Amino acid sequence: AVSRLARTEVKVALSGAGGDELFGGYQRYRGDEMAKSWKRIPGFLRNQILLHLLRRMPNRGDTTVGDKVRLAQKFLEPLDLPSDRRYLAWNSFFDVRLKKELLCRATPRDSFDAALPYFSQVSGRPFVDQAMFVDLKTYLPGDPLFLADRMTMGNSLEGRVPFVDRKLMEVAYRISVDQKLRDGVTKLIIRKALAGRVPPSILERPKRGFGTPTDLWLRGPWKPLAEILLSPEALKKTGYFQAEAVQRLMAQHQSGSRDFSQHLWAILVFQIWHALYIEGNGSPEPRPDLAGRGYPGWASSTT
């Protein structure tokens, strides 16, 4: 939608993708320092009392309190893990406990295997640098750059990403962590460089994500599709997920007591992929028997 709107005015657009991963723009880069303070609290207080209470509290993502509860739980759950696994857990929707509940059988590989080797490549650097390097190798090409490329091309808009210029990336890699992140201020060196050029209302405003309202979609226009593809029958057919566990997440999400939108979205997309490429023949068009199962928007939704 943004690319489509931009194309009505311009032919070329600049994206800030890469700025966070190179200059410490994400609050999660502060997590390792914060973890040291929280780990001073005895483990039984954190895990048996505080976490237990957080798991029982409403955590809807569309309310301020609910979002804080969700983030607090996400921060505390993996606190006792090593730094590298803890960071990956903070960036994962499914924790170990939930995976065991949802999966029908144990997976042969650790889900962190793809990212862990990158930590060892920069093990001599401060942990914040390690985390940014991992994001550069995994998250940045797999999400922001991928989406920006597809969405701009799809709307005949030329997208440019100046932050990932090779020479600029090499300079950023040589800048010390305390010049990027200090006293809770992110992208510090960029803020200093732009002082006087960009209004304070821009430089000092809180960071805002650019997500999609998946939680609302799953309780609204996408609910019929979710009910079909996450039904016990559909889940038993693919054989990967425990139907009762998924139905429990669905029920809690639909009631509004918990926000499991990202978990349900991931399973839903997997079910769509499985229907198209494992059950089907790899065609982007859905099989007729799926298209006719009560959800008329299936074709437009999946393509």
PDB file of all heavy atoms in Angstrom, residues 3-34:
ATOM      1  N   SER A   3       3.992   1.483  -1.115  1.00  0.00           N
ATOM      2  CA  SER A   3       4.651   1.572  -2.421  1.00  0.00           C
ATOM      3  C   SER A   3       3.683   2.071  -3.486  1.00  0.00           C
ATOM      4  O   SER A   3       4.053   2.877  -4.347  1.00  0.00           O
ATOM      5  CB  SER A   3       5.217   0.207  -2.819  1.00  0.00           C
ATOM      6  OG  SER A   3       6.226  -0.198  -1.935  1.00  0.00           O
ATOM      7  N   ARG A   4       2.464   1.592  -3.430  1.00  0.00           N
ATOM      8  CA  ARG A   4       1.456   2.003  -4.404  1.00  0.00           C
ATOM      9  C   ARG A   4       1.180   3.503  -4.283  1.00  0.00           C
ATOM     10  O   ARG A   4       1.077   4.219  -5.285  1.00  0.00           O
ATOM     11  CB  ARG A   4       0.171   1.200  -4.195  1.00  0.00           C
ATOM     12  CG  ARG A   4      -0.892   1.426  -5.280  1.00  0.00           C
ATOM     13  CD  ARG A   4      -2.174   0.673  -4.967  1.00  0.00           C
ATOM     14  NE  ARG A   4      -1.908  -0.733  -4.711  1.00  0.00           N
ATOM     15  CZ  ARG A   4      -2.226  -1.348  -3.579  1.00  0.00           C
ATOM     16  NH1 ARG A   4      -2.803  -0.686  -2.598  1.00  0.00           N
ATOM     17  NH2 ARG A   4      -1.955  -2.624  -3.430  1.00  0.00           N
ATOM     18  N   LEU A   5       1.061   3.982  -3.061  1.00  0.00           N
ATOM     19  CA  LEU A   5       0.818   5.402  -2.836  1.00  0.00           C
ATOM     20  C   LEU A   5       2.011   6.241  -3.282  1.00  0.00           C
ATOM     21  O   LEU A   5       1.848   7.276  -3.942  1.00  0.00           O
ATOM     22  CB  LEU A   5       0.525   5.651  -1.356  1.00  0.00           C
ATOM     23  CG  LEU A   5       0.280   7.106  -0.945  1.00  0.00           C
ATOM     24  CD1 LEU A   5      -0.944   7.670  -1.658  1.00  0.00           C
ATOM     25  CD2 LEU A   5       0.121   7.216   0.565  1.00  0.00           C
ATOM     26  N   ALA A   6       3.224   5.790  -2.933  1.00  0.00           N
ATOM     27  CA  ALA A   6       4.421   6.537  -3.308  1.00  0.00           C
ATOM     28  C   ALA A   6       4.544   6.651  -4.829  1.00  0.00           C
ATOM     29  O   ALA A   6       4.953   7.690  -5.351  1.00  0.00           O
ATOM     30  CB  ALA A   6       5.664   5.867  -2.729  1.00  0.00           C
ATOM     31  N   ARG A   7       4.158   5.585  -5.531  1.00  0.00           N
ATOM     32  CA  ARG A   7       4.311   5.564  -6.984  1.00  0.00           C
ATOM     33  C   ARG A   7       3.422   6.605  -7.665  1.00  0.00           C
ATOM     34  O   ARG A   7       3.711   7.031  -8.788  1.00  0.00           O
ATOM     35  CB  ARG A   7       3.985   4.168  -7.518  1.00  0.00           C
ATOM     36  CG  ARG A   7       4.210   4.009  -9.021  1.00  0.00           C
ATOM     37  CD  ARG A   7       5.661   4.257  -9.379  1.00  0.00           C
ATOM     38  NE  ARG A   7       5.900   4.195 -10.814  1.00  0.00           N
ATOM     39  CZ  ARG A   7       5.722   5.194 -11.668  1.00  0.00           C
ATOM     40  NH1 ARG A   7       5.295   6.377 -11.209  1.00  0.00           N
ATOM     41  NH2 ARG A   7       5.967   5.053 -12.949  1.00  0.00           N
ATOM     42  N   THR A   8       2.375   7.065  -7.001  1.00  0.00           N
ATOM     43  CA  THR A   8       1.528   8.100  -7.596  1.00  0.00           C
ATOM     44  C   THR A   8       2.234   9.449  -7.633  1.00  0.00           C
ATOM     45  O   THR A   8       1.810  10.359  -8.356  1.00  0.00           O
ATOM     46  CB  THR A   8       0.205   8.248  -6.826  1.00  0.00           C
ATOM     47  OG1 THR A   8       0.481   8.705  -5.490  1.00  0.00           O
ATOM     48  CG2 THR A   8      -0.550   6.926  -6.778  1.00  0.00           C
ATOM     49  N   GLU A   9       3.307   9.604  -6.846  1.00  0.00           N
ATOM     50  CA  GLU A   9       4.011  10.884  -6.762  1.00  0.00           C
ATOM     51  C   GLU A   9       5.438  10.816  -7.297  1.00  0.00           C
ATOM     52  O   GLU A   9       5.935  11.791  -7.848  1.00  0.00           O
ATOM     53  CB  GLU A   9       4.049  11.352  -5.292  1.00  0.00           C
ATOM     54  CG  GLU A   9       2.686  11.572  -4.659  1.00  0.00           C
ATOM     55  CD  GLU A   9       1.999  12.820  -5.192  1.00  0.00           C
ATOM     56  OE1 GLU A   9       2.711  13.703  -5.711  1.00  0.00           O
ATOM     57  OE2 GLU A   9       0.764  12.910  -5.086  1.00  0.00           O
ATOM     58  N   VAL A  10       6.124   9.688  -7.091  1.00  0.00           N
ATOM     59  CA  VAL A  10       7.546   9.608  -7.443  1.00  0.00           C
ATOM     60  C   VAL A  10       7.845   8.291  -8.148  1.00  0.00           C
ATOM     61  O   VAL A  10       7.050   7.350  -8.107  1.00  0.00           O
ATOM     62  CB  VAL A  10       8.448   9.726  -6.188  1.00  0.00           C
ATOM     63  CG1 VAL A  10       8.265  11.077  -5.518  1.00  0.00           C
ATOM     64  CG2 VAL A  10       8.148   8.601  -5.202  1.00  0.00           C
ATOM     65  N   LYS A  11       9.005   8.244  -8.781  1.00  0.00           N
ATOM     66  CA  LYS A  11       9.445   7.014  -9.440  1.00  0.00           C
ATOM     67  C   LYS A  11      10.519   6.286  -8.633  1.00  0.00           C
ATOM     68  O   LYS A  11      10.741   5.093  -8.825  1.00  0.00           O
ATOM     69  CB  LYS A  11       9.983   7.324 -10.835  1.00  0.00           C
ATOM     70  CG  LYS A  11       8.927   7.830 -11.810  1.00  0.00           C
ATOM     71  CD  LYS A  11       9.520   8.068 -13.191  1.00  0.00           C
ATOM     72  CE  LYS A  11       8.437   8.533 -14.158  1.00  0.00           C
ATOM     73  NZ  LYS A  11       8.992   8.762 -15.522  1.00  0.00           N
ATOM     74  N   VAL A  12      11.207   7.019  -7.738  1.00  0.00           N
ATOM     75  CA  VAL A  12      12.277   6.440  -6.918  1.00  0.00           C
ATOM     76  C   VAL A  12      12.025   6.802  -5.460  1.00  0.00           C
ATOM     77  O   VAL A  12      11.669   7.948  -5.159  1.00  0.00           O
ATOM     78  CB  VAL A  12      13.666   6.962  -7.347  1.00  0.00           C
ATOM     79  CG1 VAL A  12      14.760   6.330  -6.485  1.00  0.00           C
ATOM     80  CG2 VAL A  12      13.917   6.677  -8.824  1.00  0.00           C
ATOM     81  N   ALA A  13      12.196   5.836  -4.571  1.00  0.00           N
ATOM     82  CA  ALA A  13      11.995   6.082  -3.144  1.00  0.00           C
ATOM     83  C   ALA A  13      13.179   5.526  -2.361  1.00  0.00           C
ATOM     84  O   ALA A  13      13.744   4.488  -2.724  1.00  0.00           O
ATOM     85  CB  ALA A  13      10.699   5.429  -2.664  1.00  0.00           C
ATOM     86  N   LEU A  14      13.560   6.222  -1.308  1.00  0.00           N
ATOM     87  CA  LEU A  14      14.645   5.774  -0.441  1.00  0.00           C
ATOM     88  C   LEU A  14      14.069   5.069   0.778  1.00  0.00           C
ATOM     89  O   LEU A  14      13.099   5.522   1.378  1.00  0.00           O
ATOM     90  CB  LEU A  14      15.490   6.963   0.019  1.00  0.00           C
ATOM     91  CG  LEU A  14      16.151   7.804  -1.069  1.00  0.00           C
ATOM     92  CD1 LEU A  14      16.978   8.919  -0.436  1.00  0.00           C
ATOM     93  CD2 LEU A  14      17.014   6.946  -1.967  1.00  0.00           C
ATOM     94  N   SER A  15      14.694   3.961   1.143  1.00  0.00           N
ATOM     95  CA  SER A  15      14.280   3.206   2.328  1.00  0.00           C
ATOM     96  C   SER A  15      15.390   3.262   3.374  1.00  0.00           C
ATOM     97  O   SER A  15      16.575   3.289   3.042  1.00  0.00           O
ATOM     98  CB  SER A  15      14.006   1.742   1.944  1.00  0.00           C
ATOM     99  OG  SER A  15      13.932   0.927   3.094  1.00  0.00           O
ATOM    100  N   GLY A  16      14.996   3.277   4.631  1.00  0.00           N
ATOM    101  CA  GLY A  16      15.973   3.291   5.724  1.00  0.00           C
ATOM    102  C   GLY A  16      16.387   1.906   6.170  1.00  0.00           C
ATOM    103  O   GLY A  16      17.062   1.769   7.206  1.00  0.00           O
ATOM    104  N   ALA A  17      16.035   0.873   5.415  1.00  0.00           N
ATOM    105  CA  ALA A  17      16.386  -0.500   5.793  1.00  0.00           C
ATOM    106  C   ALA A  17      17.893  -0.622   5.997  1.00  0.00           C
ATOM    107  O   ALA A  17      18.684  -0.139   5.190  1.00  0.00           O
ATOM    108  CB  ALA A  17      15.917  -1.475   4.710  1.00  0.00           C
ATOM    109  N   GLY A  18      18.276  -1.261   7.084  1.00  0.00           N
ATOM    110  CA  GLY A  18      19.686  -1.441   7.397  1.00  0.00           C
ATOM    111  C   GLY A  18      20.200  -0.477   8.446  1.00  0.00           C
ATOM    112  O   GLY A  18      21.199  -0.760   9.115  1.00  0.00           O
ATOM    113  N   GLY A  19      19.520   0.643   8.628  1.00  0.00           N
ATOM    114  CA  GLY A  19      19.970   1.618   9.614  1.00  0.00           C
ATOM    115  C   GLY A  19      19.965   1.063  11.030  1.00  0.00           C
ATOM    116  O   GLY A  19      20.892   1.315  11.815  1.00  0.00           O
ATOM    117  N   ASP A  20      18.950   0.307  11.371  1.00  0.00           N
ATOM    118  CA  ASP A  20      18.859  -0.260  12.719  1.00  0.00           C
ATOM    119  C   ASP A  20      19.936  -1.315  12.954  1.00  0.00           C
ATOM    120  O   ASP A  20      20.566  -1.358  14.016  1.00  0.00           O
ATOM    121  CB  ASP A  20      17.473  -0.887  12.926  1.00  0.00           C
ATOM    122  CG  ASP A  20      16.372   0.151  12.968  1.00  0.00           C
ATOM    123  OD1 ASP A  20      16.527   1.142  13.702  1.00  0.00           O
ATOM    124  OD2 ASP A  20      15.371  -0.018  12.258  1.00  0.00           O
ATOM    125  N   GLU A  21      20.139  -2.176  11.972  1.00  0.00           N
ATOM    126  CA  GLU A  21      21.089  -3.273  12.127  1.00  0.00           C
ATOM    127  C   GLU A  21      22.546  -2.792  12.122  1.00  0.00           C
ATOM    128  O   GLU A  21      23.422  -3.462  12.673  1.00  0.00           O
ATOM    129  CB  GLU A  21      20.900  -4.297  10.994  1.00  0.00           C
ATOM    130  CG  GLU A  21      19.592  -5.061  11.057  1.00  0.00           C
ATOM    131  CD  GLU A  21      18.407  -4.313  10.464  1.00  0.00           C
ATOM    132  OE1 GLU A  21      18.593  -3.163   9.999  1.00  0.00           O
ATOM    133  OE2 GLU A  21      17.302  -4.858  10.460  1.00  0.00           O
ATOM    134  N   LEU A  22      22.815  -1.655  11.516  1.00  0.00           N
ATOM    135  CA  LEU A  22      24.181  -1.124  11.451  1.00  0.00           C
ATOM    136  C   LEU A  22      24.500  -0.152  12.576  1.00  0.00           C
ATOM    137  O   LEU A  22      25.653  -0.044  13.006  1.00  0.00           O
ATOM    138  CB  LEU A  22      24.392  -0.416  10.106  1.00  0.00           C
ATOM    139  CG  LEU A  22      24.484  -1.334   8.889  1.00  0.00           C
ATOM    140  CD1 LEU A  22      24.342  -0.519   7.612  1.00  0.00           C
ATOM    141  CD2 LEU A  22      25.816  -2.079   8.885  1.00  0.00           C
ATOM    142  N   PHE A  23      23.483   0.566  13.055  1.00  0.00           N
ATOM    143  CA  PHE A  23      23.736   1.633  14.018  1.00  0.00           C
ATOM    144  C   PHE A  23      22.983   1.457  15.338  1.00  0.00           C
ATOM    145  O   PHE A  23      22.810   2.413  16.081  1.00  0.00           O
ATOM    146  CB  PHE A  23      23.393   2.988  13.383  1.00  0.00           C
ATOM    147  CG  PHE A  23      24.284   3.343  12.233  1.00  0.00           C
ATOM    148  CD1 PHE A  23      23.874   3.132  10.926  1.00  0.00           C
ATOM    149  CD2 PHE A  23      25.551   3.865  12.447  1.00  0.00           C
ATOM    150  CE1 PHE A  23      24.696   3.444   9.850  1.00  0.00           C
ATOM    151  CE2 PHE A  23      26.381   4.188  11.386  1.00  0.00           C
ATOM    152  CZ  PHE A  23      25.966   3.968  10.078  1.00  0.00           C
ATOM    153  N   GLY A  24      22.543   0.244  15.627  1.00  0.00           N
ATOM    154  CA  GLY A  24      21.952  -0.038  16.941  1.00  0.00           C
ATOM    155  C   GLY A  24      20.598   0.596  17.154  1.00  0.00           C
ATOM    156  O   GLY A  24      20.364   1.228  18.187  1.00  0.00           O
ATOM    157  N   GLY A  25      19.683   0.395  16.218  1.00  0.00           N
ATOM    158  CA  GLY A  25      18.391   1.059  16.307  1.00  0.00           C
ATOM    159  C   GLY A  25      17.301   0.304  17.036  1.00  0.00           C
ATOM    160  O   GLY A  25      16.278   0.886  17.370  1.00  0.00           O
ATOM    161  N   TYR A  26      17.503  -0.979  17.293  1.00  0.00           N
ATOM    162  CA  TYR A  26      16.458  -1.769  17.943  1.00  0.00           C
ATOM    163  C   TYR A  26      16.659  -1.802  19.456  1.00  0.00           C
ATOM    164  O   TYR A  26      17.786  -1.966  19.943  1.00  0.00           O
ATOM    165  CB  TYR A  26      16.451  -3.204  17.420  1.00  0.00           C
ATOM    166  CG  TYR A  26      16.045  -3.327  15.970  1.00  0.00           C
ATOM    167  CD1 TYR A  26      16.842  -4.017  15.054  1.00  0.00           C
ATOM    168  CD2 TYR A  26      14.860  -2.757  15.504  1.00  0.00           C
ATOM    169  CE1 TYR A  26      16.460  -4.134  13.720  1.00  0.00           C
ATOM    170  CE2 TYR A  26      14.487  -2.861  14.179  1.00  0.00           C
ATOM    171  CZ  TYR A  26      15.292  -3.558  13.290  1.00  0.00           C
ATOM    172  OH  TYR A  26      14.924  -3.666  11.975  1.00  0.00           O
ATOM    173  N   GLN A  27      15.552  -1.690  20.186  1.00  0.00           N
ATOM    174  CA  GLN A  27      15.639  -1.752  21.643  1.00  0.00           C
ATOM    175  C   GLN A  27      16.146  -3.114  22.122  1.00  0.00           C
ATOM    176  O   GLN A  27      16.708  -3.224  23.206  1.00  0.00           O
ATOM    177  CB  GLN A  27      14.257  -1.459  22.259  1.00  0.00           C
ATOM    178  CG  GLN A  27      13.812  -0.019  22.149  1.00  0.00           C
ATOM    179  CD  GLN A  27      14.664   0.935  22.979  1.00  0.00           C
ATOM    180  OE1 GLN A  27      15.262   0.540  23.987  1.00  0.00           O
ATOM    181  NE2 GLN A  27      14.738   2.196  22.556  1.00  0.00           N
ATOM    182  N   ARG A  28      15.982  -4.139  21.303  1.00  0.00           N
ATOM    183  CA  ARG A  28      16.421  -5.472  21.732  1.00  0.00           C
ATOM    184  C   ARG A  28      17.934  -5.536  21.913  1.00  0.00           C
ATOM    185  O   ARG A  28      18.443  -6.431  22.597  1.00  0.00           O
ATOM    186  CB  ARG A  28      15.967  -6.527  20.734  1.00  0.00           C
ATOM    187  CG  ARG A  28      16.481  -6.387  19.312  1.00  0.00           C
ATOM    188  CD  ARG A  28      15.985  -7.549  18.468  1.00  0.00           C
ATOM    189  NE  ARG A  28      16.412  -7.509  17.078  1.00  0.00           N
ATOM    190  CZ  ARG A  28      15.623  -7.210  16.062  1.00  0.00           C
ATOM    191  NH1 ARG A  28      14.364  -6.873  16.291  1.00  0.00           N
ATOM    192  NH2 ARG A  28      16.068  -7.239  14.815  1.00  0.00           N
ATOM    193  N   TYR A  29      18.669  -4.602  21.313  1.00  0.00           N
ATOM    194  CA  TYR A  29      20.113  -4.584  21.503  1.00  0.00           C
ATOM    195  C   TYR A  29      20.497  -4.181  22.924  1.00  0.00           C
ATOM    196  O   TYR A  29      21.639  -4.368  23.336  1.00  0.00           O
ATOM    197  CB  TYR A  29      20.771  -3.633  20.489  1.00  0.00           C
ATOM    198  CG  TYR A  29      20.601  -4.063  19.053  1.00  0.00           C
ATOM    199  CD1 TYR A  29      20.401  -3.122  18.040  1.00  0.00           C
ATOM    200  CD2 TYR A  29      20.618  -5.413  18.693  1.00  0.00           C
ATOM    201  CE1 TYR A  29      20.241  -3.517  16.713  1.00  0.00           C
ATOM    202  CE2 TYR A  29      20.449  -5.814  17.384  1.00  0.00           C
ATOM    203  CZ  TYR A  29      20.252  -4.861  16.395  1.00  0.00           C
ATOM    204  OH  TYR A  29      20.088  -5.256  15.087  1.00  0.00           O
ATOM    205  N   ARG A  30      19.545  -3.614  23.654  1.00  0.00           N
ATOM    206  CA  ARG A  30      19.781  -3.273  25.062  1.00  0.00           C
ATOM    207  C   ARG A  30      19.503  -4.462  25.981  1.00  0.00           C
ATOM    208  O   ARG A  30      19.800  -4.420  27.169  1.00  0.00           O
ATOM    209  CB  ARG A  30      18.882  -2.107  25.482  1.00  0.00           C
ATOM    210  CG  ARG A  30      19.088  -0.832  24.675  1.00  0.00           C
ATOM    211  CD  ARG A  30      18.055   0.214  25.081  1.00  0.00           C
ATOM    212  NE  ARG A  30      18.085   0.477  26.508  1.00  0.00           N
ATOM    213  CZ  ARG A  30      17.029   0.881  27.226  1.00  0.00           C
ATOM    214  NH1 ARG A  30      15.863   1.055  26.635  1.00  0.00           N
ATOM    215  NH2 ARG A  30      17.143   1.088  28.509  1.00  0.00           N
ATOM    216  N   GLY A  31      18.941  -5.517  25.403  1.00  0.00           N
ATOM    217  CA  GLY A  31      18.458  -6.628  26.221  1.00  0.00           C
ATOM    218  C   GLY A  31      19.519  -7.319  27.047  1.00  0.00           C
ATOM    219  O   GLY A  31      19.276  -7.693  28.199  1.00  0.00           O
ATOM    220  N   ASP A  32      20.728  -7.491  26.493  1.00  0.00           N
ATOM    221  CA  ASP A  32      21.760  -8.226  27.226  1.00  0.00           C
ATOM    222  C   ASP A  32      22.172  -7.477  28.493  1.00  0.00           C
ATOM    223  O   ASP A  32      22.399  -8.087  29.539  1.00  0.00           O
ATOM    224  CB  ASP A  32      22.970  -8.452  26.319  1.00  0.00           C
ATOM    225  CG  ASP A  32      23.830  -9.615  26.788  1.00  0.00           C
ATOM    226  OD1 ASP A  32      23.285 -10.724  26.918  1.00  0.00           O
ATOM    227  OD2 ASP A  32      25.031  -9.405  27.040  1.00  0.00           O
ATOM    228  N   GLU A  33      22.264  -6.135  28.393  1.00  0.00           N
ATOM    229  CA  GLU A  33      22.585  -5.344  29.583  1.00  0.00           C
ATOM    230  C   GLU A  33      21.458  -5.423  30.594  1.00  0.00           C
ATOM    231  O   GLU A  33      21.688  -5.562  31.799  1.00  0.00           O
ATOM    232  CB  GLU A  33      22.819  -3.884  29.207  1.00  0.00           C
ATOM    233  CG  GLU A  33      24.230  -3.469  28.877  1.00  0.00           C
ATOM    234  CD  GLU A  33      25.274  -3.897  29.897  1.00  0.00           C
ATOM    235  OE1 GLU A  33      25.126  -3.564  31.097  1.00  0.00           O
ATOM    236  OE2 GLU A  33      26.223  -4.563  29.518  1.00  0.00           O
ATOM    237  N   MET A  34      20.216  -5.320  30.134  1.00  0.00           N
ATOM    238  CA  MET A  34      19.066  -5.387  31.034  1.00  0.00           C
ATOM    239  C   MET A  34      18.983  -6.741  31.695  1.00  0.00           C
ATOM    240  O   MET A  34      18.593  -6.861  32.867  1.00  0.00           O
ATOM    241  CB  MET A  34      17.786  -5.090  30.249  1.00  0.00           C
ATOM    242  CG  MET A  34      17.719  -3.677  29.691  1.00  0.00           C
ATOM    243  SD  MET A  34      16.352  -3.454  28.527  1.00  0.00           S
ATOM    244  CE  MET A  34      14.951  -3.748  29.597  1.00  0.00           C
TER     245      MET A  34
END
